[in-house]
């Protein structure tokens, strides 16, 4: 069975190392795993229940929900801003957590990885993302983790797809998510 994983990248910066890490996931995905990087998180307005009206949801948010509906699982790429998750990633989680009782994450495996400048590779933000997505209904795959420290120096001239640790560890993370999909009870 092929597994479709929707990748949400929490950085909008051109040349984002987390975006590059997502590109590495596409390139190094194990056989039977398809990674789809969602485009358009920048266009989604901040979550506001007043604009989350059935039949009139903002187009970018509706597109995200549609992509989530066709995904078997999720992989969040979380940089760390001021010790926590970025607004763009948190906003995507918020939109997918609604409408109440119909979360796009409901019952689907979710892994969280990332890279950051600091010595811990964004661990705090990744932990916050795991907490938030778990509350939103996702099934957090606790051993689907990868925190890559020192991104600014480490990836100054080297794309993550060519980094030995990334090449070794990222396929293992993806395999763990795929195993969680395949182990889930059939509804």
């Amino acid at each position: 069975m092929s597994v479709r994983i929707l990748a949400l990248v929490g950085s909008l910066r051109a040349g984002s190392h987390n975006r590059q890490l997502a590109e590495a996931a596409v390139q190094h995905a194990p056989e039977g795993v398809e990674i789809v990087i969602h485009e358009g998180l920048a266009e989604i307005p901040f979550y506001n229940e007043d604009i989350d009206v059935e039949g009139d949801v903002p187009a970018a948010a509706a597109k995200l929900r549609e992509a989530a509906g066709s995904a078997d699982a999720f992989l969040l790429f979380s940089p760390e801003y001021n010790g926590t998750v970025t607004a763009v990633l948190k906003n995507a989680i918020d939109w997918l957590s609604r409408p109440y009782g119909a979360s796009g994450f409901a019952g689907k495996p979710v892994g969280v990885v990332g890279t950051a400048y600091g010595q811990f590779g964004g661990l705090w933000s990744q932990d916050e993302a795991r907490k938030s997505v778990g509350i939103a209904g996702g099934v957090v795959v606790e051993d689907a983790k990868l925190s890559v420290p020192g991104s600014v120096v480490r990836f100054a001239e080297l794309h993550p797809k060519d980094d030995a640790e990334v090449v070794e560890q990222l396929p293992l993370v993806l395999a763990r998510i795929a195993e969680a999909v395949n182990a889930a009870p059939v509804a």
Side-chain angles (χ1 to χ4, degrees), residues 21 24 146 148 154-155 160-161 163-171:
L21 194 60
L146 176 62
V148 185
R154 187 172 185 163
F155 301 129
K161 70 179 173 52
D163 180 270
E165 179 185 9
V166 170
V167 170
E168 177 187 342
Q169 295 296 315
L170 198 51

Side-chain angles (χ1 to χ4, degrees), residues 45-70:
F46 283 116
Y47 185 79
N48 176 343
E49 198 169 354
D50 291 341
I51 63 172
D52 189 5
V53 178
E54 187 174 345
D56 198 27
V57 173
K63 183 178 174 187
L64 174 63
R65 286 177 174 168
E66 182 180 322
S70 66

Side-chain angles (χ1 to χ4, degrees), residues 56-124:
D56 198 27
V57 173
K63 183 178 174 187
L64 174 63
R65 286 177 174 168
E66 182 180 322
S70 66
D72 298 309
F74 298 86
L75 184 56
L76 309 184
F77 291 83
S78 184
E80 188 168 273
Y81 292 2
N82 299 312
T84 194
V85 67
T86 64
V88 69
L89 186 56
K90 179 63 169 73
N91 191 48
I93 293 169
D94 290 346
W95 274 102
L96 288 175
S97 74
R98 298 290 190 264
Y100 184 77
S103 171
F105 292 115
K108 294 183 180 182
V110 182
V112 181
V113 299
T115 185
Y117 179 67
Q119 65 181 337
F120 302 113
L123 278 176
W124 293 342

